[in-house]
Structures are given as structure tokens and as C-alpha cells.
Amino acid sequence: MKRTKIVDILRRTDYGTTVNVKGWVRTHRSSKAVDFIALNDGSTINNVQVVVDPAKHSADMLKQITTGACISVTGTLVESQGKGQSSEIQCEQIEIYGLCGSDYPMQKKGQSFEYMRQHAHMRLRTNTFGAVMRIRHNMAIAIHNYFHEHGFFYFHTPIITASDCEGAGQMFQVTTKNLYDLKKDEDGKIVYDDDFFGKQTSLTVSGQLEGELGATALGAIYTFGPTFRAENSNTPRHLAEFWMVEPEVAFIDLNDLMDLEEDFIKHCVRWALENCKDDLEFLNKMIDKGLIERLKGIVDCDFVRLPYTEGIRILQEAKAAGRKFEFPCEWGDDLASEHERYLVEEHFKKPVIMTNYPKSIKAFYMKIDEEESGFGGKSGQTVQGTDVLFPQIGEIIGGSVREENYDKLMAEIESRNIPMKDMWWYLDTRRYGSCPHGGFGLGFERLILFITGMQNIRDVIPFPRTPKTAEF
């Protein structure tokens, strides 16, 4: 008989129909008169209750059906007499696909998230991680939906690159060379002419630079793919492998960019509220009791547009009034998460788009402000960068208007001593038909972290990659 997904079974009201469901046992309660099996197949947070008459089935077989076992059930769909579900299945036939012993690591009892990370290959079967992964899927659909409806083209940028977009040097090298017998020149430097690509290559930290090429040809593009950063960080907000959403748009200015950032992220949150109701209600109950209210607040409010200089003034006034910060917040400092969250959660109580940062703490490609920056009345000290700051997360989006003038861009590159030998193709966009353009990058896992209410970014990606951790 053809299987029906449990998410569809729970919507049906054609009682008396014979149905077949397959899935994994969440719980099995036994008595002399009746057995109750809660079955879940991953299609929904909700289980279907299977009612079993023990007189009609082998006692030895029923004993084998424990938490985690995989079974197929054929029976009659009936209206439920109990609370919590509208329908259930009166079992007629059970087939066991896979048994589960007492050493099954996801037994029905309270497990810490740290424990479950050690069993990441099994944690996906739990209610919490099932909910998170379904929301993750829906957010990917929401992203593609938004950009398609707004005329963006999905643009695939390379994972292997010879350029370092961020200029930080924290990249994972890709090579086929024998690491035990490296060819070196007379200065002791590694020679790459015999490597697969004939040059030193690494995993990408961003698709932005290649995305700019797409935007200056197609008008508006977005990338959505994995990126890699070899940063030795073990915070709850950092991964070594994570996914980035990076739109790039021709003929956009700073205000248009901020409008795009706000509209896009509101679309994603609204999509979650409309399409992930059951999973959000579960997470709101079990993980974060203020989750749904916070999500609704994002959709309903206007984001604050805040120049960096004004943000520093607010932070310094708070410090003078007795608010303690671990890190300094002087003009020119890169704001720490505690500063970002103070502005969002305590001062404004809504998301903030911070703009016009000092150029010394931002990337070389950001367009320099020509007007006074608030830095001693001097011009040219700030850039048209934007960071979208969210409650509980801090920075969730980083973007900027890009410098389109070749001479200005080269001057910034030279002043920062950035090696550009493999970047000639990027500079060509400024030499041939340059245009105003800009874009942003959103860390996909940080978006999922906010929408699910989870506290650690390692719990919103199926198999986290962090320092000293590359299991599964």
C-alpha cells in the first residue's frame, strides 16, 4: 500500500479509510488492554498516534518496538478520542524495518545540546532539531522566492578561489601537492606551478567579488552558497563552514541598500511566521518563550538608521551613566557584540542599521564618504558601509556601497598594501564601464539562529565545522 506522510495524515478527515504510515518511534506505551505508539516521519513536528490491540499482535514483536525503531503501520484512520490530536490510526498491521537498542543515543529524556552535538548524526531525529531543519529549509525557499520575485538572478560563484575578499588571510588552502615533499624556490617559498591549478588557491570566504562581476552585467544578482573561514574562534556565533546570502545590485545608493536589507529580512521573518507555525510554536514553548513575539516585532517595526558616530555617542553616554562594557567604545573602534546588542535591545529596542563606519575598520572596496564624518570635522574618514544589528544576535547583515572609481579604489588598495596580483579581473569592472553598485552579505546560520531562538550557531547547521571539530 502507498505510504502517506504524517503531515498529510493529520490534515485528513476521511475517517474509516485504510492508510499506511512509516516512520520512527518517539514513544511506546504498553498496557494489557492497549498500546500507544507515537510515530514521526520528519514531515512535521507532530506525531501520529497509533493505537494497537496487543491481542492481535505478537507480544515479542511489540516489545521490540522501542524509541528510535523504524516501522511501517497499516490501519484505519479514525477520529481521536484523546486530547492533542484530531486523528489517529487503529493499527491492523505492523512491519519492523529497523530495531533500536537501549544504547540508542537519543532516548526520550532530557539531553543537553552539548551532548547532542557529539551525536550530530542522530540528533536530527529529535523534535528540536527536526523543527530547526524544517525552518532552515523554509528560509532557503524564502530567500530564493524573494530574489526571484524582485528580479534578481541566482548567480553561482566559485568555491575555490585565488583571491581573499576580506583581506584577512584566514583561508583554508586547497592543494594536491605532497605536503611531505614540498617544492620550494631559492628563497624557501613554496612553488605552486606544479599544483593542480598552477597557483596557490583556497576555499572562498565570500562570493562578493565575483558577484560584483555578475551585477555589472545582469543588473541584480544573488549568491547563496557555502563559505569558509579559518578563524580560530569557539564562540556561539562562529563557524568555520557556513552559508552566505550575498546580493549585488547595480545603480543602488546607500538609502536603497538599507531599504533592500530591511525589506529582505522582514520577508524572511514573515515567511517563517506564515509557513513554520507548528515548528515555531514548539520552539517558543521549549526553547525561547519570547520567540514568536520577537519575530512579530521585527515585521511590525521600522529599523533605526544610525550613523556610527551617533552610535558611539550613545554608547559613551551610557558608559558615563554607569553602564559597564567589557570592551572600549571609542571613535574608530570596531564595535563588539555587547555594544551592538545594547543599542538594539536596551536603547532603541528594535533592529538598527548602522552606517558610515570609519574606513580603517572596514574593507578596501567600500565607497568613501566625501562629506564630514564627525571625526574632527574631516571628510574622507568614513565609508558607506551598513551593518544590520538584531536582538540576541548582533550583526546579522554586513553590506556597503562599493567604490566604483578605479583611481580611488587603487589608492585604497595601495595604502593598505593589499596584494592584488590575482585581482586584475576585479579591477577591470572599474576600468570598463564602471557603474555605482552595492550589496550585502547575510550569514544564513545567524538568520536561522534568530528565527529559531537557538542559542548556539552549531545547533542550526546539520554538521557544524569548528576548530578541532570536523566529525560526520
PDB file of all heavy atoms in Angstrom, residues 206-240:
ATOM      1  N   SER A 206      33.973  34.429   0.631  1.00  0.00           N
ATOM      2  CA  SER A 206      32.817  35.214   0.192  1.00  0.00           C
ATOM      3  C   SER A 206      32.709  35.126  -1.326  1.00  0.00           C
ATOM      4  O   SER A 206      33.724  35.017  -2.021  1.00  0.00           O
ATOM      5  CB  SER A 206      32.972  36.680   0.611  1.00  0.00           C
ATOM      6  OG  SER A 206      32.013  37.493  -0.023  1.00  0.00           O
ATOM      7  N   GLY A 207      31.488  35.190  -1.826  1.00  0.00           N
ATOM      8  CA  GLY A 207      31.273  35.247  -3.267  1.00  0.00           C
ATOM      9  C   GLY A 207      31.104  36.664  -3.772  1.00  0.00           C
ATOM     10  O   GLY A 207      30.759  36.870  -4.944  1.00  0.00           O
ATOM     11  N   GLN A 208      31.374  37.649  -2.928  1.00  0.00           N
ATOM     12  CA  GLN A 208      31.063  39.035  -3.275  1.00  0.00           C
ATOM     13  C   GLN A 208      31.797  39.551  -4.506  1.00  0.00           C
ATOM     14  O   GLN A 208      31.175  40.152  -5.396  1.00  0.00           O
ATOM     15  CB  GLN A 208      31.373  39.962  -2.105  1.00  0.00           C
ATOM     16  CG  GLN A 208      31.108  41.438  -2.436  1.00  0.00           C
ATOM     17  CD  GLN A 208      31.844  42.400  -1.543  1.00  0.00           C
ATOM     18  OE1 GLN A 208      31.865  42.205  -0.337  1.00  0.00           O
ATOM     19  NE2 GLN A 208      32.472  43.411  -2.108  1.00  0.00           N
ATOM     20  N   LEU A 209      33.105  39.351  -4.568  1.00  0.00           N
ATOM     21  CA  LEU A 209      33.870  39.953  -5.656  1.00  0.00           C
ATOM     22  C   LEU A 209      33.402  39.430  -7.005  1.00  0.00           C
ATOM     23  O   LEU A 209      33.221  40.194  -7.962  1.00  0.00           O
ATOM     24  CB  LEU A 209      35.365  39.688  -5.462  1.00  0.00           C
ATOM     25  CG  LEU A 209      35.986  40.194  -4.151  1.00  0.00           C
ATOM     26  CD1 LEU A 209      37.486  40.024  -4.176  1.00  0.00           C
ATOM     27  CD2 LEU A 209      35.611  41.652  -3.881  1.00  0.00           C
ATOM     28  N   GLU A 210      33.191  38.118  -7.093  1.00  0.00           N
ATOM     29  CA  GLU A 210      32.653  37.555  -8.334  1.00  0.00           C
ATOM     30  C   GLU A 210      31.208  37.990  -8.543  1.00  0.00           C
ATOM     31  O   GLU A 210      30.755  38.163  -9.679  1.00  0.00           O
ATOM     32  CB  GLU A 210      32.747  36.032  -8.314  1.00  0.00           C
ATOM     33  CG  GLU A 210      34.156  35.472  -8.334  1.00  0.00           C
ATOM     34  CD  GLU A 210      34.781  35.330  -6.952  1.00  0.00           C
ATOM     35  OE1 GLU A 210      34.152  35.785  -5.972  1.00  0.00           O
ATOM     36  OE2 GLU A 210      35.870  34.757  -6.846  1.00  0.00           O
ATOM     37  N   GLY A 211      30.472  38.180  -7.431  1.00  0.00           N
ATOM     38  CA  GLY A 211      29.103  38.663  -7.527  1.00  0.00           C
ATOM     39  C   GLY A 211      29.022  40.049  -8.131  1.00  0.00           C
ATOM     40  O   GLY A 211      28.080  40.369  -8.865  1.00  0.00           O
ATOM     41  N   GLU A 212      30.021  40.881  -7.849  1.00  0.00           N
ATOM     42  CA  GLU A 212      30.050  42.209  -8.455  1.00  0.00           C
ATOM     43  C   GLU A 212      30.167  42.120  -9.970  1.00  0.00           C
ATOM     44  O   GLU A 212      29.592  42.935 -10.703  1.00  0.00           O
ATOM     45  CB  GLU A 212      31.209  43.025  -7.878  1.00  0.00           C
ATOM     46  CG  GLU A 212      31.001  43.470  -6.433  1.00  0.00           C
ATOM     47  CD  GLU A 212      32.090  44.396  -5.950  1.00  0.00           C
ATOM     48  OE1 GLU A 212      32.426  45.354  -6.691  1.00  0.00           O
ATOM     49  OE2 GLU A 212      32.628  44.166  -4.853  1.00  0.00           O
ATOM     50  N   LEU A 213      30.911  41.131 -10.462  1.00  0.00           N
ATOM     51  CA  LEU A 213      31.004  40.943 -11.910  1.00  0.00           C
ATOM     52  C   LEU A 213      29.626  40.648 -12.490  1.00  0.00           C
ATOM     53  O   LEU A 213      29.262  41.158 -13.546  1.00  0.00           O
ATOM     54  CB  LEU A 213      31.950  39.781 -12.235  1.00  0.00           C
ATOM     55  CG  LEU A 213      33.380  39.840 -11.685  1.00  0.00           C
ATOM     56  CD1 LEU A 213      34.170  38.652 -12.185  1.00  0.00           C
ATOM     57  CD2 LEU A 213      34.058  41.132 -12.079  1.00  0.00           C
ATOM     58  N   GLY A 214      28.863  39.801 -11.767  1.00  0.00           N
ATOM     59  CA  GLY A 214      27.525  39.462 -12.229  1.00  0.00           C
ATOM     60  C   GLY A 214      26.603  40.659 -12.217  1.00  0.00           C
ATOM     61  O   GLY A 214      25.812  40.874 -13.156  1.00  0.00           O
ATOM     62  N   ALA A 215      26.681  41.477 -11.164  1.00  0.00           N
ATOM     63  CA  ALA A 215      25.788  42.634 -11.045  1.00  0.00           C
ATOM     64  C   ALA A 215      26.062  43.667 -12.114  1.00  0.00           C
ATOM     65  O   ALA A 215      25.146  44.347 -12.600  1.00  0.00           O
ATOM     66  CB  ALA A 215      25.925  43.260  -9.661  1.00  0.00           C
ATOM     67  N   THR A 216      27.330  43.804 -12.511  1.00  0.00           N
ATOM     68  CA  THR A 216      27.667  44.807 -13.521  1.00  0.00           C
ATOM     69  C   THR A 216      27.407  44.293 -14.930  1.00  0.00           C
ATOM     70  O   THR A 216      27.752  44.962 -15.908  1.00  0.00           O
ATOM     71  CB  THR A 216      29.141  45.238 -13.381  1.00  0.00           C
ATOM     72  OG1 THR A 216      29.989  44.079 -13.459  1.00  0.00           O
ATOM     73  CG2 THR A 216      29.375  45.942 -12.055  1.00  0.00           C
ATOM     74  N   ALA A 217      26.798  43.124 -15.028  1.00  0.00           N
ATOM     75  CA  ALA A 217      26.381  42.594 -16.331  1.00  0.00           C
ATOM     76  C   ALA A 217      24.890  42.302 -16.372  1.00  0.00           C
ATOM     77  O   ALA A 217      24.214  42.560 -17.356  1.00  0.00           O
ATOM     78  CB  ALA A 217      27.163  41.318 -16.650  1.00  0.00           C
ATOM     79  N   LEU A 218      24.358  41.757 -15.256  1.00  0.00           N
ATOM     80  CA  LEU A 218      22.954  41.349 -15.201  1.00  0.00           C
ATOM     81  C   LEU A 218      22.073  42.316 -14.418  1.00  0.00           C
ATOM     82  O   LEU A 218      20.860  42.156 -14.378  1.00  0.00           O
ATOM     83  CB  LEU A 218      22.850  39.948 -14.582  1.00  0.00           C
ATOM     84  CG  LEU A 218      23.591  38.832 -15.327  1.00  0.00           C
ATOM     85  CD1 LEU A 218      23.582  37.549 -14.511  1.00  0.00           C
ATOM     86  CD2 LEU A 218      22.991  38.602 -16.698  1.00  0.00           C
ATOM     87  N   GLY A 219      22.682  43.273 -13.761  1.00  0.00           N
ATOM     88  CA  GLY A 219      21.921  44.295 -13.035  1.00  0.00           C
ATOM     89  C   GLY A 219      21.688  43.985 -11.578  1.00  0.00           C
ATOM     90  O   GLY A 219      21.934  44.810 -10.711  1.00  0.00           O
ATOM     91  N   ALA A 220      21.208  42.783 -11.288  1.00  0.00           N
ATOM     92  CA  ALA A 220      20.939  42.396  -9.893  1.00  0.00           C
ATOM     93  C   ALA A 220      21.072  40.882  -9.793  1.00  0.00           C
ATOM     94  O   ALA A 220      20.366  40.132 -10.471  1.00  0.00           O
ATOM     95  CB  ALA A 220      19.541  42.833  -9.469  1.00  0.00           C
ATOM     96  N   ILE A 221      21.986  40.444  -8.941  1.00  0.00           N
ATOM     97  CA  ILE A 221      22.215  39.004  -8.759  1.00  0.00           C
ATOM     98  C   ILE A 221      22.251  38.685  -7.265  1.00  0.00           C
ATOM     99  O   ILE A 221      22.339  39.589  -6.422  1.00  0.00           O
ATOM    100  CB  ILE A 221      23.519  38.520  -9.421  1.00  0.00           C
ATOM    101  CG1 ILE A 221      24.764  39.172  -8.742  1.00  0.00           C
ATOM    102  CG2 ILE A 221      23.507  38.833 -10.904  1.00  0.00           C
ATOM    103  CD1 ILE A 221      25.404  38.399  -7.635  1.00  0.00           C
ATOM    104  N   TYR A 222      22.177  37.403  -6.941  1.00  0.00           N
ATOM    105  CA  TYR A 222      22.446  36.986  -5.564  1.00  0.00           C
ATOM    106  C   TYR A 222      23.158  35.646  -5.591  1.00  0.00           C
ATOM    107  O   TYR A 222      22.941  34.822  -6.476  1.00  0.00           O
ATOM    108  CB  TYR A 222      21.162  36.905  -4.739  1.00  0.00           C
ATOM    109  CG  TYR A 222      20.233  35.764  -5.077  1.00  0.00           C
ATOM    110  CD1 TYR A 222      20.153  34.625  -4.268  1.00  0.00           C
ATOM    111  CD2 TYR A 222      19.415  35.806  -6.208  1.00  0.00           C
ATOM    112  CE1 TYR A 222      19.294  33.584  -4.568  1.00  0.00           C
ATOM    113  CE2 TYR A 222      18.554  34.780  -6.513  1.00  0.00           C
ATOM    114  CZ  TYR A 222      18.494  33.660  -5.692  1.00  0.00           C
ATOM    115  OH  TYR A 222      17.639  32.618  -6.001  1.00  0.00           O
ATOM    116  N   THR A 223      24.035  35.464  -4.648  1.00  0.00           N
ATOM    117  CA  THR A 223      24.686  34.174  -4.441  1.00  0.00           C
ATOM    118  C   THR A 223      24.134  33.568  -3.161  1.00  0.00           C
ATOM    119  O   THR A 223      23.679  34.276  -2.263  1.00  0.00           O
ATOM    120  CB  THR A 223      26.218  34.311  -4.318  1.00  0.00           C
ATOM    121  OG1 THR A 223      26.549  34.833  -3.017  1.00  0.00           O
ATOM    122  CG2 THR A 223      26.763  35.251  -5.378  1.00  0.00           C
ATOM    123  N   PHE A 224      24.179  32.268  -3.088  1.00  0.00           N
ATOM    124  CA  PHE A 224      23.717  31.567  -1.884  1.00  0.00           C
ATOM    125  C   PHE A 224      24.470  30.249  -1.837  1.00  0.00           C
ATOM    126  O   PHE A 224      24.135  29.307  -2.544  1.00  0.00           O
ATOM    127  CB  PHE A 224      22.205  31.344  -1.945  1.00  0.00           C
ATOM    128  CG  PHE A 224      21.594  30.729  -0.704  1.00  0.00           C
ATOM    129  CD1 PHE A 224      22.308  30.615   0.481  1.00  0.00           C
ATOM    130  CD2 PHE A 224      20.293  30.271  -0.718  1.00  0.00           C
ATOM    131  CE1 PHE A 224      21.754  30.062   1.615  1.00  0.00           C
ATOM    132  CE2 PHE A 224      19.714  29.704   0.407  1.00  0.00           C
ATOM    133  CZ  PHE A 224      20.440  29.602   1.571  1.00  0.00           C
ATOM    134  N   GLY A 225      25.517  30.218  -1.033  1.00  0.00           N
ATOM    135  CA  GLY A 225      26.331  29.014  -1.005  1.00  0.00           C
ATOM    136  C   GLY A 225      27.255  28.983   0.191  1.00  0.00           C
ATOM    137  O   GLY A 225      27.307  29.913   0.998  1.00  0.00           O
ATOM    138  N   PRO A 226      28.035  27.900   0.312  1.00  0.00           N
ATOM    139  CA  PRO A 226      28.933  27.743   1.459  1.00  0.00           C
ATOM    140  C   PRO A 226      30.164  28.629   1.349  1.00  0.00           C
ATOM    141  O   PRO A 226      30.673  28.880   0.257  1.00  0.00           O
ATOM    142  CB  PRO A 226      29.311  26.255   1.392  1.00  0.00           C
ATOM    143  CG  PRO A 226      29.192  25.900  -0.055  1.00  0.00           C
ATOM    144  CD  PRO A 226      28.068  26.740  -0.591  1.00  0.00           C
ATOM    145  N   THR A 227      30.615  29.124   2.489  1.00  0.00           N
ATOM    146  CA  THR A 227      31.854  29.887   2.586  1.00  0.00           C
ATOM    147  C   THR A 227      32.654  29.355   3.769  1.00  0.00           C
ATOM    148  O   THR A 227      32.117  28.674   4.637  1.00  0.00           O
ATOM    149  CB  THR A 227      31.577  31.391   2.770  1.00  0.00           C
ATOM    150  OG1 THR A 227      30.726  31.577   3.908  1.00  0.00           O
ATOM    151  CG2 THR A 227      30.902  31.980   1.553  1.00  0.00           C
ATOM    152  N   PHE A 228      33.946  29.681   3.792  1.00  0.00           N
ATOM    153  CA  PHE A 228      34.852  29.038   4.748  1.00  0.00           C
ATOM    154  C   PHE A 228      35.824  30.060   5.322  1.00  0.00           C
ATOM    155  O   PHE A 228      36.429  30.821   4.569  1.00  0.00           O
ATOM    156  CB  PHE A 228      35.635  27.923   4.042  1.00  0.00           C
ATOM    157  CG  PHE A 228      34.771  26.981   3.264  1.00  0.00           C
ATOM    158  CD1 PHE A 228      34.378  27.278   1.969  1.00  0.00           C
ATOM    159  CD2 PHE A 228      34.331  25.792   3.830  1.00  0.00           C
ATOM    160  CE1 PHE A 228      33.565  26.418   1.245  1.00  0.00           C
ATOM    161  CE2 PHE A 228      33.520  24.922   3.117  1.00  0.00           C
ATOM    162  CZ  PHE A 228      33.134  25.236   1.820  1.00  0.00           C
ATOM    163  N   ARG A 229      35.960  30.070   6.636  1.00  0.00           N
ATOM    164  CA  ARG A 229      36.900  30.991   7.270  1.00  0.00           C
ATOM    165  C   ARG A 229      37.697  30.259   8.352  1.00  0.00           C
ATOM    166  O   ARG A 229      37.120  29.687   9.275  1.00  0.00           O
ATOM    167  CB  ARG A 229      36.159  32.198   7.856  1.00  0.00           C
ATOM    168  CG  ARG A 229      35.387  32.930   6.764  1.00  0.00           C
ATOM    169  CD  ARG A 229      34.976  34.314   7.090  1.00  0.00           C
ATOM    170  NE  ARG A 229      34.227  34.877   5.960  1.00  0.00           N
ATOM    171  CZ  ARG A 229      33.652  36.058   5.948  1.00  0.00           C
ATOM    172  NH1 ARG A 229      33.722  36.825   7.023  1.00  0.00           N
ATOM    173  NH2 ARG A 229      33.003  36.479   4.887  1.00  0.00           N
ATOM    174  N   ALA A 230      38.996  30.298   8.204  1.00  0.00           N
ATOM    175  CA  ALA A 230      39.894  29.597   9.125  1.00  0.00           C
ATOM    176  C   ALA A 230      40.211  30.484  10.322  1.00  0.00           C
ATOM    177  O   ALA A 230      41.365  30.776  10.630  1.00  0.00           O
ATOM    178  CB  ALA A 230      41.166  29.187   8.396  1.00  0.00           C
ATOM    179  N   GLU A 231      39.156  30.920  10.987  1.00  0.00           N
ATOM    180  CA  GLU A 231      39.293  31.773  12.167  1.00  0.00           C
ATOM    181  C   GLU A 231      39.194  30.895  13.408  1.00  0.00           C
ATOM    182  O   GLU A 231      38.219  30.160  13.582  1.00  0.00           O
ATOM    183  CB  GLU A 231      38.183  32.827  12.173  1.00  0.00           C
ATOM    184  CG  GLU A 231      38.253  33.795  13.339  1.00  0.00           C
ATOM    185  CD  GLU A 231      37.134  34.831  13.281  1.00  0.00           C
ATOM    186  OE1 GLU A 231      36.361  34.835  12.307  1.00  0.00           O
ATOM    187  OE2 GLU A 231      37.045  35.624  14.239  1.00  0.00           O
ATOM    188  N   ASN A 232      40.186  30.959  14.267  1.00  0.00           N
ATOM    189  CA  ASN A 232      40.220  30.091  15.447  1.00  0.00           C
ATOM    190  C   ASN A 232      39.308  30.671  16.527  1.00  0.00           C
ATOM    191  O   ASN A 232      39.747  31.208  17.537  1.00  0.00           O
ATOM    192  CB  ASN A 232      41.648  29.953  15.964  1.00  0.00           C
ATOM    193  CG  ASN A 232      41.762  28.901  17.054  1.00  0.00           C
ATOM    194  OD1 ASN A 232      40.882  28.048  17.198  1.00  0.00           O
ATOM    195  ND2 ASN A 232      42.825  28.958  17.819  1.00  0.00           N
ATOM    196  N   SER A 233      38.009  30.553  16.289  1.00  0.00           N
ATOM    197  CA  SER A 233      37.012  31.128  17.201  1.00  0.00           C
ATOM    198  C   SER A 233      36.048  30.043  17.657  1.00  0.00           C
ATOM    199  O   SER A 233      35.534  29.268  16.845  1.00  0.00           O
ATOM    200  CB  SER A 233      36.237  32.246  16.493  1.00  0.00           C
ATOM    201  OG  SER A 233      35.217  32.741  17.328  1.00  0.00           O
ATOM    202  N   ASN A 234      35.801  29.999  18.944  1.00  0.00           N
ATOM    203  CA  ASN A 234      34.888  29.000  19.509  1.00  0.00           C
ATOM    204  C   ASN A 234      33.657  29.645  20.137  1.00  0.00           C
ATOM    205  O   ASN A 234      33.056  29.079  21.045  1.00  0.00           O
ATOM    206  CB  ASN A 234      35.624  28.154  20.562  1.00  0.00           C
ATOM    207  CG  ASN A 234      36.536  27.123  19.932  1.00  0.00           C
ATOM    208  OD1 ASN A 234      36.076  26.127  19.379  1.00  0.00           O
ATOM    209  ND2 ASN A 234      37.834  27.363  19.992  1.00  0.00           N
ATOM    210  N   THR A 235      33.272  30.820  19.658  1.00  0.00           N
ATOM    211  CA  THR A 235      32.105  31.489  20.225  1.00  0.00           C
ATOM    212  C   THR A 235      30.821  30.829  19.719  1.00  0.00           C
ATOM    213  O   THR A 235      30.834  30.107  18.724  1.00  0.00           O
ATOM    214  CB  THR A 235      32.084  32.980  19.836  1.00  0.00           C
ATOM    215  OG1 THR A 235      31.616  33.115  18.479  1.00  0.00           O
ATOM    216  CG2 THR A 235      33.467  33.601  19.969  1.00  0.00           C
ATOM    217  N   PRO A 236      29.687  31.103  20.367  1.00  0.00           N
ATOM    218  CA  PRO A 236      28.404  30.536  19.914  1.00  0.00           C
ATOM    219  C   PRO A 236      27.889  31.159  18.622  1.00  0.00           C
ATOM    220  O   PRO A 236      26.816  30.798  18.160  1.00  0.00           O
ATOM    221  CB  PRO A 236      27.449  30.864  21.083  1.00  0.00           C
ATOM    222  CG  PRO A 236      28.310  31.182  22.252  1.00  0.00           C
ATOM    223  CD  PRO A 236      29.551  31.778  21.676  1.00  0.00           C
ATOM    224  N   ARG A 237      28.667  32.103  18.033  1.00  0.00           N
ATOM    225  CA  ARG A 237      28.203  32.800  16.827  1.00  0.00           C
ATOM    226  C   ARG A 237      29.101  32.561  15.624  1.00  0.00           C
ATOM    227  O   ARG A 237      28.910  33.168  14.576  1.00  0.00           O
ATOM    228  CB  ARG A 237      28.132  34.316  17.104  1.00  0.00           C
ATOM    229  CG  ARG A 237      27.153  34.697  18.210  1.00  0.00           C
ATOM    230  CD  ARG A 237      27.308  36.148  18.649  1.00  0.00           C
ATOM    231  NE  ARG A 237      27.067  37.095  17.597  1.00  0.00           N
ATOM    232  CZ  ARG A 237      27.958  37.968  17.129  1.00  0.00           C
ATOM    233  NH1 ARG A 237      29.184  37.986  17.642  1.00  0.00           N
ATOM    234  NH2 ARG A 237      27.654  38.816  16.177  1.00  0.00           N
ATOM    235  N   HIS A 238      30.100  31.678  15.736  1.00  0.00           N
ATOM    236  CA  HIS A 238      31.047  31.495  14.641  1.00  0.00           C
ATOM    237  C   HIS A 238      31.155  30.028  14.215  1.00  0.00           C
ATOM    238  O   HIS A 238      31.163  29.123  15.043  1.00  0.00           O
ATOM    239  CB  HIS A 238      32.432  32.002  15.043  1.00  0.00           C
ATOM    240  CG  HIS A 238      32.530  33.489  15.130  1.00  0.00           C
ATOM    241  ND1 HIS A 238      32.243  34.177  16.283  1.00  0.00           N
ATOM    242  CD2 HIS A 238      32.851  34.432  14.204  1.00  0.00           C
ATOM    243  CE1 HIS A 238      32.414  35.483  16.073  1.00  0.00           C
ATOM    244  NE2 HIS A 238      32.771  35.652  14.823  1.00  0.00           N
ATOM    245  N   LEU A 239      31.251  29.829  12.904  1.00  0.00           N
ATOM    246  CA  LEU A 239      31.506  28.529  12.306  1.00  0.00           C
ATOM    247  C   LEU A 239      32.654  28.672  11.312  1.00  0.00           C
ATOM    248  O   LEU A 239      32.893  29.750  10.776  1.00  0.00           O
ATOM    249  CB  LEU A 239      30.270  28.024  11.557  1.00  0.00           C
ATOM    250  CG  LEU A 239      29.050  27.629  12.385  1.00  0.00           C
ATOM    251  CD1 LEU A 239      27.830  27.490  11.486  1.00  0.00           C
ATOM    252  CD2 LEU A 239      29.301  26.323  13.134  1.00  0.00           C
ATOM    253  N   ALA A 240      33.353  27.577  11.046  1.00  0.00           N
ATOM    254  CA  ALA A 240      34.403  27.594  10.035  1.00  0.00           C
ATOM    255  C   ALA A 240      33.818  27.388   8.644  1.00  0.00           C
ATOM    256  O   ALA A 240      34.369  27.863   7.649  1.00  0.00           O
ATOM    257  CB  ALA A 240      35.440  26.506  10.331  1.00  0.00           C
TER     258      ALA A 240
END
